[in-house]
């Protein structure tokens, strides 16, 4: 039996892939979510085959795993990824690539072809959809002045631009002076595109023109004074009117343009303009970079400038809100004696913030509930078998996520939830859903209050949902029994414990682990830095799940159903 390792950052995808491989006769020696975990796994197990995603968790790459292995002893490598066009793969990285999404039979066929390539050097057709054999690098790829060197320079430029945009975004969020934000945007854009001139133009409604509000590289008298009509007679005017980016390789060649004098005074030849859009109505203005040399700008430059324009649009809105807030504060200072009006204004602002947060959570919850309802409806008509079990598993997980958002409603922008109350609600939902088919199976839940972050609640909720569902489906062949769930908190900062127990027929961990989702449970517990212990015999099944809790003093008594 051939050993296969999996490197995939999506736990559900990895779990599905592992199940498909095991059913097809492969021995899955392990699953890694990061590049470092993948290297350790490969060096320890020395698998015969490897299925690697290109993009892994924590910024890792599947190609790094293949590169660290000994070429003579390297396993046959199949890349299964949705990033086929984002990174170039060659024979040096592995044997073949299969694009996502793929069918289970496609990945098995692709793995067989990789075995064939390793043993014979070739692969026989037909190939599954999205499959291609990786080729050797061409001779031109190895030349120092080849296209790859240009690509490397382009990538370096893009990374530099992305870093500049991220740094500017942080600056804009912390700077309250809009003038400083606009000037810094002009400077960073000029540096990022390695040109001497950049400016930000603001639209003036009464004059119907665009005035240079900020800029770098210009002679005195341009910033704050120079204007251009808000029409198509200039690059900035055209971008403002069309609300689309404008690229001018040579401004003198456009017969429509009647350029302001400062273009000629600075020898401007090429320019790129992007509108600074507002949420509604006309744009606030235009961001422009100017070059005294002819240059062919590309889509990457447009994306870079558009990113700055979007940040500037938000900075403008923030400045207006801050101005409005400051004006409100000034008025409040003049109304010290009118406490009721001061409190009403404060409450209105807070209510607006909470309404926005609650509306977002409400819409997400409703969407999850809609998906869940559609899945339950599909279950009513689906034939018995693995397909129906798969739909049921998906529906269960969607319900678990919907419960998270039920408990988020009303908490504003908080990222913490009372996990005890959430677990009670989850158990109650399961009891209601299963009542029709399993009337003689009792589900009890007793929980202490434990405050956890949203990510931990989501992962632990999926674990408990998986265990409850397994017990309902597999533990009671005669249709009678009990399921108990208990949550006990430790001291602040210590581990909390979930004890899950049913008095069913039990199962063998090694013999039927896939049927009971053990791999998924253990990986989710690992995700929350917890642990899972299992005891199962003819008297029933018991899980002991422990996980760390933050140092938040608990409040309230034990609750249960």
């Amino acid at each position: 039996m051939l050993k296969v390792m999996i490197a995939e950052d999506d736990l559900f995808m990895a779990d599905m892939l592992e199940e498909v491989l095991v059913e097809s006769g492969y021995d899955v020696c392990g699953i890694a979510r990061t590049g470092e975990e993948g290297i350790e796994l490969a060096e320890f197990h020395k698998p015969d085959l490897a299925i690697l995603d290109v993009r892994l968790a924590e910024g890792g790459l599947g190609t790094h795993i293949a590169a660290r292995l000994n070429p003579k002893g390297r396993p046959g490598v199949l890349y299964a990824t949705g990033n086929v066009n984002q990174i170039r793969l060659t024979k040096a990285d592995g044997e073949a690539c299969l694009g996502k999404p793929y069918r289970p039979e496609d990945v098995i066929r692709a793995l067989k072809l990789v075995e064939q390539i390793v043993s014979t050097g070739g692969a026989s057709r037909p190939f599954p959809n999205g499959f291609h054999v990786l080729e050797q690098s061409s001779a031109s790829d190895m030349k120092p002045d080849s296209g790859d060197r240009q690509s490397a320079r382009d990538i370096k430029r893009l990374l530099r631009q992305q870093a500049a945009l991220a740094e500017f975004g942080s600056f804009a969020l912390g700077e309250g002076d809009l003038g400083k934000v606009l000037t810094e945007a002009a400077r960073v854009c000029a540096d990022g595109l390695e040109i001497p001139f950049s400016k930000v133009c603001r639209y003036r409604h009464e004059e119907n023109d665009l005035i240079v509000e900020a800029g770098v590289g210009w002679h005195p008298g341009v910033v704050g004074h120079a204007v251009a009509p808000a029409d198509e007679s200039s690059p900035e005017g055209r971008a403002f009117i069309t609300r689309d980016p404008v690229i001018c390789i040579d401004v003198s060649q456009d017969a429509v343009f009647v350029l302001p004098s400062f273009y000629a005074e600075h020898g401007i030849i090429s320019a790129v303009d992007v509108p600074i859009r507002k949420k509604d109505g006309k744009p606030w203005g235009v961001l422009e970079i100017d070059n005294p040399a002819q240059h062919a700008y590309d889509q990457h430059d447009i994306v870079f400038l558009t990113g700055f324009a979007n940040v500037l649009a938000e900075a403008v809105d923030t400045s207006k809100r801050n101005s409005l807030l400051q004006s409100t504060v000034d008025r409040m200072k003049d109304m010290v004696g009118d406490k009721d009006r001061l409190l009403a204004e404060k409450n209105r602002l807070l209510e607006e913030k909470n309404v926005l947060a609650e509306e977002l959570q409400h819409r997400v919850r409703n969407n999850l509930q809609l998906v869940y309802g559609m899945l339950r409806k599909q279950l009513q008509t689906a034939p018995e078998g693995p397909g129906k079990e798969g739909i049921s598993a998906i529906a269960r997980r969607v319900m678990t996520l919907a419960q998270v958002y039920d408990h988020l409603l009303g908490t504003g922008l908080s990222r913490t939830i009372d996990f005890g109350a959430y677990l009670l609600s989850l158990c109650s939902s399961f009891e209601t859903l299963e009542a029709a088919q399993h009337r003689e199976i009792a589900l009890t839940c007793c929980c202490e209050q434990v405050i956890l972050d949203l990510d931990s609640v989501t992962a632990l909720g999926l674990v408990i949902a998986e265990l409850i569902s397994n017990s309902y489906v597999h533990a009671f062949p005669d249709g009678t029994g009990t399921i108990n769930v208990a949550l006990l908190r430790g001291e602040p900062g210590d581990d909390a414990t979930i004890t899950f127990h049913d008095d069913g027929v039990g199962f063998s961990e090694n013999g039927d682990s896939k049927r009971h989702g053990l791999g998924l449970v253990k990986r989710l517990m690992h995700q929350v830095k917890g642990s899972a212990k299992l005891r199962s015999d003819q008297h029933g099944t018991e899980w002991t799940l422990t996980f760390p809790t933050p140092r938040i003093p608990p409040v309230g008594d034990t609750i249960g159903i």
Side-chain angles (χ1 to χ4, degrees):
M1 182 182 294
L2 295 179
K3 290 195 296 183
V4 183
M5 69 163 285
I6 300 171
E8 168 63 60
D9 63 331
D10 189 308
L11 285 176
F12 292 126
M13 178 67 73
D15 193 57
M16 180 276 291
L17 188 56
E18 179 185 14
E19 184 172 356
V20 170
L21 293 174
V22 171
E23 290 176 353
S24 299
Y26 291 99
D27 177 18
V28 178
C29 60
I31 296 174
R33 294 185 67 246
T34 67
E36 292 184 1
E37 290 177 0
I39 292 171
E40 294 176 1
L41 190 65
E43 291 179 345
F44 180 79
H45 288 284
K46 295 180 172 54
D48 303 296
L49 300 166
I51 300 179
L52 310 178
D53 194 354
V54 173
R55 303 287 184 186
L56 299 174
E58 299 179 7
L61 294 174
T63 52
H64 290 172
I65 300 175
R68 287 284 298 274
L69 302 177
N70 184 349
K72 294 182 179 179
R74 190 185 75 184
V77 175
L78 171 66
Y79 290 96
T81 178
N83 299 284
V84 175
N85 297 320
Q86 297 182 16
I87 186 168
R88 185 180 181 188
L89 298 173
T90 67
K91 184 66 175 177
D93 301 307
E95 277 61 48
C97 181
L98 179 64
K100 293 179 180 177
Y102 51 75
R103 300 175 303 173
E105 57 265 31
D106 289 341
V107 75
I108 296 302
R109 172 61 180 160
L111 207 55
K112 295 294 185 183
L113 290 171
V114 169
E115 294 179 43
Q116 188 178 8
I117 294 171
V118 171
S119 60
T120 67
S124 59
R125 294 182 180 273
F127 293 165
N129 290 334
F131 177 89
H132 67 272
V133 177
L134 300 182
E135 303 293 342
Q136 293 283 1
S137 299
S138 64
S140 61
D141 293 336
M142 304 304 293
K143 293 180 181 179
D145 294 327
S146 66
D148 273 355
R149 173 161 290 188
Q150 180 61 41
S151 296
R153 287 195 293 267
D154 290 343
I155 291 173
K156 186 176 180 180
R157 174 172 63 91
L158 292 175
L159 291 175
R160 185 179 71 252
Q161 290 177 353
Q162 289 177 3
L165 180 57
E167 184 177 353
F168 172 71
S170 298
F171 169 80
L173 286 174
E175 178 56 62
D177 188 332
L178 180 59
K180 292 181 179 179
V181 174
L182 298 178
T183 301
E184 180 66 8
R187 184 192 68 78
V188 177
C189 285
D191 289 346
L193 294 175
E194 299 177 339
I195 47 93
F197 303 105
S198 178
K199 64 178 181 284
V200 179
C201 300
R202 173 175 60 86
Y203 175 67
R204 299 190 299 182
H205 177 73
E206 292 184 0
E207 295 83 357
N208 193 33
D209 62 14
L210 294 161
I211 185 170
V212 179
E213 191 76 12
V216 293
W218 306 100
H219 297 162
V222 173
V223 176
H225 301 282
V227 296
D231 55 31
E232 297 201 26
S233 64
S234 66
E236 56 265 54
R238 181 175 294 175
F240 179 83
I241 292 297
T242 63
R243 305 186 187 185
D244 290 320
V246 172
I247 298 177
C248 298
I249 299 177
D250 188 341
V251 294
S252 66
Q253 299 302 311
D254 195 315
V256 178
F257 286 161
V258 181
L259 300 174
S261 60
F262 65 85
Y263 277 87
E265 293 168 359
H266 295 81
I268 302 303
I269 296 177
S270 59
V272 179
D273 295 78
V274 294
I276 302 172
R277 298 184 177 92
K278 296 188 296 184
K279 293 181 179 178
D280 50 27
K282 294 181 179 180
W284 179 86
V286 175
L287 172 63
E288 177 178 289
I289 56 102
D290 302 272
N291 199 334
Q294 191 173 89
H295 184 78
Y297 295 97
D298 58 21
Q299 188 62 31
H300 296 299
D301 300 319
I302 293 294
V303 171
F304 174 63
L305 292 174
T306 300
F308 274 87
N310 291 340
V311 175
L312 287 179
E314 186 59 35
V316 169
D317 286 343
T318 300
S319 177
K320 290 182 178 179
R321 289 194 298 268
N322 288 342
S323 297
L324 178 61
L325 180 60
Q326 186 60 49
S327 176
T328 302
V329 171
D330 291 340
R331 290 199 305 270
M332 287 180 176
K333 289 180 180 179
D334 296 333
M335 299 186 303
V336 174
D338 193 350
K339 296 182 180 179
D340 290 339
R341 290 187 61 185
L342 290 172
L343 291 174
E345 182 68 6
K346 176 183 176 181
N347 291 337
R348 186 189 66 80
L349 295 173
L350 292 175
E351 181 66 18
E352 181 179 354
K353 169 187 170 184
N354 291 333
V355 166
L356 290 174
E358 187 171 342
E359 176 66 18
L360 176 62
Q361 295 163 1
H362 180 74
R363 291 187 181 185
V364 173
R365 192 276 308 271
N366 283 353
N367 288 339
L368 288 171
Q369 191 64 45
L370 177 62
V371 174
Y372 175 71
M374 294 169 66
L375 290 171
R376 294 293 299 180
K377 186 174 182 180
Q378 184 65 28
L379 278 173
Q380 295 174 2
T381 58
E384 296 294 335
K388 185 170 185 177
E389 292 180 4
I391 295 174
S392 178
I394 295 172
R396 183 172 65 252
R397 291 164 184 167
V398 170
M399 182 194 72
T400 303
L401 295 176
Q403 289 289 337
V404 171
Y405 278 91
D406 271 339
H407 284 266
L408 271 177
L409 287 175
T411 62
L413 297 178
S414 174
R415 283 188 52 83
T416 59
I417 299 177
D418 179 358
F419 180 55
Y422 162 73
L423 199 55
L424 283 171
S425 178
L426 183 64
C427 291
S428 177
S429 296
F430 260 101
E431 192 173 32
T432 301
L433 290 172
E434 300 291 345
Q437 293 182 328
H438 304 94
R439 296 180 182 277
E440 302 301 322
I441 299 176
L443 172 60
T444 62
C445 185
C446 184
C447 301
E448 295 181 343
Q449 185 184 65
V450 177
I451 304 300
L452 296 179
D453 63 89
L454 178 58
D455 292 337
S456 297
V457 169
T458 302
L460 291 170
L462 290 172
V463 168
I464 298 303
E466 192 76 20
L467 298 181
I468 292 176
S469 178
N470 280 339
S471 292
Y472 270 114
V473 175
H474 302 293
F476 309 107
D478 59 353
T480 61
T482 59
I483 303 171
N484 298 301
V485 181
L487 169 64
L488 299 177
R489 64 171 180 254
E491 294 298 321
D494 293 340
D495 288 350
T497 302
I498 300 175
T499 303
F500 178 92
H501 177 264
D502 69 50
D503 55 4
V505 297
F507 67 94
S508 170
E509 179 177 1
N510 294 328
D512 199 14
S513 63
K514 286 305 300 175
R515 174 180 169 185
H516 293 269
L518 301 187
L520 178 61
V521 169
K522 291 180 179 179
R523 280 193 293 279
L524 287 170
M525 291 305 300
H526 177 72
Q527 180 177 320
V528 299
K529 297 181 174 56
S531 63
K533 295 182 180 178
L534 169 65
R535 179 194 62 78
S536 185
D537 53 32
Q538 66 272 22
H539 301 295
T541 299
E542 181 176 276
W543 286 85
T544 303
L545 311 173
T546 59
F547 54 91
T549 60
R551 294 184 176 275
I552 301 175
V555 180
D557 298 324
T558 300
I559 49 180
I561 59 172

